[in-house]
C-alpha cells in the first residue's frame, strides 16, 4: 500500500497538486504510523519465536494433544505472547482513527481549498468493489459448510441445509440494503454517512467470517460425535482392538458454550450491521418520519396550498420496527436458550427469514 501511494505521488496523472497533497498526507499521518505498529508486532513475534526451544517446537503437536479437551485451565487472560496480536489490533484501530481524522481535516475548510488537498473517491467503483467483497465473505460462509467431511447424520444435514439457506438470505438482505442508484447511496451523500457505511462494511465482513466459522465448528462437532459412537461400537463388538487406545488421546476442540456464543454474537452483529446500513442511506430522520403518517393540513383560505405534516402513528411500520427489535434481541440471547448446533442453526435461519420478511412488508407499506 505504501508503494502504491509512492507511485501515485511521483507518477500519478491529473491534478498533480491534489494528488501529491492527498497521498503525502495519507503516507505521513496514516500509513507510516500503521507500518511502525505492524513492524513492531512482527519483530516481537520473531523474537518470541526464536526463544522457543527446538525440542519444544518439534514436539508441539504432541504436547497440545496431551491435555483433556474438556478440562478448564485457569490463568491470565493476557500474556506477553499475546503482544504481537495486540499490536496488530491497535494498528488496525489506529488506521481507522487516522483515516477519519484525515478526511474530516481535509473537508473542514480550515486547511486550504479541498480541491487542492483531497482526491475524491470513484463512487461507482467503490460500490462495485464493496459488493464483490461482501459476496466473497458470503462465499467463505458457504465454503465452511462444504469443506467438512460428510457423515450420514440427521444433525449434519440439518446444519448444512439450513446453513446454506441462511447465508443465501443474508446475501439477499445485503443486496436489498443498498440503493439501486449511486445517487441514493451513502457513499454519495455526506462524509459522515460515507465513513459510517465504510466502517459497517468492515464490521459486517468480520462478523460474516465468524458466522461461517460457526458452521464449520458445528459440523465438526457432529462429525466427532458420530466417529466417537462408531469407535465405541467397534470396540464393544471387538472388531478393532486398538480403537480404545486411539480414543485416549483427546483432540482440542471448541466448547459448546463458546461455539454457541460465537454464533449468537456473529449473527446479531450481521443483522445489526445490515439495519444500520439502511440508516446510512436513508438517514435517521427519514427512518423516524416513516413511523408517522403524512397528512395534509388544509386549514386556511381555499386558494392556499395544502401543507403536509406528520400526524398519527403509521401502525404497520411501527409494528415492523418492534418486530425487528424483538428479533435482534432474541438473536443476542439465543445461546442462553440452547447450545445444540442443529437447533441454533434452525433458529438462526428463522431469525434471518423473519428479518427478510420485515424488509418485504416494510417496502410494501412504505410504497
Amino acid at each position: 500500500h505504501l508503494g502504491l501511494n509512492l507511485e501515485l505521488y511521483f507518477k500519478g496523472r491529473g491534478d498533480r497538486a491534489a494528488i501529491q497533497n492527498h497521498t503525502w498526507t495519507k503516507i505521513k499521518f496514516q500509513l507510516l504510523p500503521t507500518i511502525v505498529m505492524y513492524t513492531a508486532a512482527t519483530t516481537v513475534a520473531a523474537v518470541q519465536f526464536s526463544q522457543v526451544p527446538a525440542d519444544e517446537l518439534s514436539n508441539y503437536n504432541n504436547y497440545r494433544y496431551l491435555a483433556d479437551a474438556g478440562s478448564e485451565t485457569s490463568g491470565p487472560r493476557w500474556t506477553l505472547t499475546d503482544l504481537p496480536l495486540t499490536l496488530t489490533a491497535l494498528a488496525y484501530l489506529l488506521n481507522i482513527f487516522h483515516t477519519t481524522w484525515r478526511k474530516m481535516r481535509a473537508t473542514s475548510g480550515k486547511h486550504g481549498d479541498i480541491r487542492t488537498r483531497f482526491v475524491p473517491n470513484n463512487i461507482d467503483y467503490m460500490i462495485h468493489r464493496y459488493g464483490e467483497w461482501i459476496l466473497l465473505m458470503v462465499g467463505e460462509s458457504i465454503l465452511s459448510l462444504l469443506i467438512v467431511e460428510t457423515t450420514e447424520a440427521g444433525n449434519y444435514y440439518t446444519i448444512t441445509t439450513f446453513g446454506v439457506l441462511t447465508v443465501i438470505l443474508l446475501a439477499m438482505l445485503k443486496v436489498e440494503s443498498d440503493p439501486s442508484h449511486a445517487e441514493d447511496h451513502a457513499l454519495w451523500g455526506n462524509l459522515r454517512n460515507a465513513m459510517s457505511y465504510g466502517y459497517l462494511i468492515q464490521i459486517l465482513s468480520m462478523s460474516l467470517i465468524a458466522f461461517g466459522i460457526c458452521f464449520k465448528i458445528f459440523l465438526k462437532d457432529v462429525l466427532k460425535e458420530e466417529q466417537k459412537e462408531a469407535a465405541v461400537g467397534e470396540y464393544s463388538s471387538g472388531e478393532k482392538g486398538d480403537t480404545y487406545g486411539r480414543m485416549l488421546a483427546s483432540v482440542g476442540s471448541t466448547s459448546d458454550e463458546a461455539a454457541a456464543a460465537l454464533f449468537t454474537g456473529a449473527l446479531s452483529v450481521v443483522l445489526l450491521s445490515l439495519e444500520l446500513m439502511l440508516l446510512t442511506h436513508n438517514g435517521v430522520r427519514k427512518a423516524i418520519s416513516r413511523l408517522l403518517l403524512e397528512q395534509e393540513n388544509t386549514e386556511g383560505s381555499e386558494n392556499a396550498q395544502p401543507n403536509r405534516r406528520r400526524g398519527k402513528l403509521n401502525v404497520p411500520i411501527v409494528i415492523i420496527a418492534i418486530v425487528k427489535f424483538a428479533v435482534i434481541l432474541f438473536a443476542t440471547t439465543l445461546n442462553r436458550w440452547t447450545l445444540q448446533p442443529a437447533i441454533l442453526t434452525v433458529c438462526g435461519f428463522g431469525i434471518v427469514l423473519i428479518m427478510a420478511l420485515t424488509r418485504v412488508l416494510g417496502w410494501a407499506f412504505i410504497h
Side-chain angles (χ1 to χ4, degrees):
H1 199 186
L2 177 62
L4 175 62
N5 281 271
L6 288 175
E7 181 183 5
L8 287 174
Y9 184 85
F10 291 105
K11 300 293 184 179
R13 296 181 179 180
D15 190 339
R16 294 290 301 160
I19 293 174
Q20 290 184 340
N21 289 331
H22 178 94
T23 53
W24 177 243
T25 302
K26 186 175 182 179
I27 291 172
K28 183 170 58 174
F29 294 107
Q30 181 180 345
L31 295 182
L32 290 181
T34 305
I35 290 175
V36 169
M37 296 288 287
Y38 283 139
T39 303
T42 304
T43 304
V44 172
V47 171
Q48 292 178 349
F49 182 80
S50 65
Q51 294 176 350
V52 178
D55 55 344
E56 185 175 341
L57 287 176
S58 61
N59 296 323
Y60 172 74
N61 290 330
N62 295 331
Y63 289 162
R64 70 193 196 84
Y65 289 130
L66 292 178
D68 182 13
S71 62
E72 295 183 0
T73 57
S74 60
R77 293 182 177 272
W78 190 92
T79 62
L80 191 60
T81 55
D82 298 320
L83 182 58
L85 288 178
T86 303
L87 291 174
T88 304
L90 291 176
Y92 172 74
L93 296 176
L94 183 66
N95 182 60
I96 291 178
F97 170 77
H98 282 297
T99 302
T100 304
W101 175 83
R102 180 175 58 86
K103 291 183 177 180
M104 294 184 66
R105 182 177 183 272
T107 56
S108 64
K110 301 178 180 179
H111 303 278
D113 189 354
I114 187 175
R115 292 172 296 181
T116 62
R117 308 196 63 84
F118 190 79
V119 178
N121 296 321
N122 188 331
I123 304 300
D124 290 323
Y125 174 79
M126 291 183 64
I127 294 174
H128 176 71
R129 298 301 292 172
Y130 275 145
E132 288 188 337
W133 172 257
I134 294 300
L135 287 179
L136 181 62
M137 297 299 102
V138 171
E140 291 292 333
S141 298
I142 296 293
L143 185 62
S144 298
L145 288 162
L146 301 178
I147 62 177
V148 180
E149 183 180 349
T150 305
T151 180
E152 295 184 359
N155 288 339
Y156 185 94
Y157 291 112
T158 299
I159 294 172
T160 52
T161 301
F162 285 96
V164 170
L165 293 175
T166 302
V167 175
I168 292 174
L169 286 177
L170 288 176
M172 294 172 61
L173 280 175
K174 170 59 179 67
V175 174
E176 199 275 336
S177 299
D178 293 334
S180 303
H181 304 285
E183 292 78 9
D184 300 325
H185 204 280
L187 296 175
W188 192 270
N190 56 56
L191 178 64
R192 179 185 58 190
N193 289 3
M195 290 193 301
S196 299
Y197 180 83
Y199 296 146
L200 286 173
I201 285 289
Q202 298 180 40
I203 296 173
L204 178 62
S205 302
M206 291 183 283
S207 56
L208 283 174
I209 289 294
F211 192 63
I213 292 174
C214 293
F215 289 130
K216 184 178 179 181
I217 295 173
F218 289 167
L219 292 176
K220 281 189 173 293
D221 288 343
V222 173
L223 179 63
K224 187 185 301 181
E225 290 296 325
E226 290 296 315
Q227 291 176 343
K228 186 183 297 184
E229 292 178 3
V232 171
E234 291 174 358
Y235 174 73
S236 301
S237 61
E239 295 181 6
K240 293 187 178 181
D242 62 339
T243 303
Y244 184 73
R246 292 200 307 270
M247 289 176 63
L248 292 177
S250 176
V251 181
S253 62
T254 305
S255 65
D256 294 339
E257 292 78 7
L262 181 62
F263 180 85
T264 299
L267 178 60
S268 303
V269 174
V270 167
L271 296 177
L272 190 59
S273 300
L274 292 174
E275 291 301 314
L276 292 177
M277 281 183 182
L278 286 176
L279 295 181
T280 62
H281 299 306
N282 301 324
V284 178
R285 292 183 178 178
K286 186 175 182 180
I288 295 176
S289 66
R290 286 175 174 173
L291 299 176
L292 301 175
L293 291 172
E294 198 174 61
Q295 297 179 343
E296 291 185 357
N297 184 8
T298 57
E299 296 179 358
S301 61
E302 297 180 356
N303 297 328
Q305 293 293 331
N307 298 322
R308 293 190 176 273
R309 61 182 179 86
R310 295 291 172 176
K312 298 180 181 180
L313 287 176
N314 192 347
V315 177
I317 301 300
V318 172
I319 293 176
I320 290 174
I322 294 175
V323 170
K324 284 185 177 182
F325 178 80
V327 169
I328 294 177
L329 182 62
F330 175 70
T332 58
T333 60
L334 187 57
N335 62 318
R336 302 292 182 179
W337 301 93
T338 180
L339 299 178
Q340 297 298 321
I343 298 177
L344 285 170
T345 305
V346 174
C347 290
F349 168 76
I351 289 171
V352 177
L353 179 61
I354 293 174
M355 295 297 292
L357 291 176
T358 58
R359 292 286 185 91
V360 175
L361 294 175
W363 186 90
F365 283 115
I366 290 174
H367 297 84

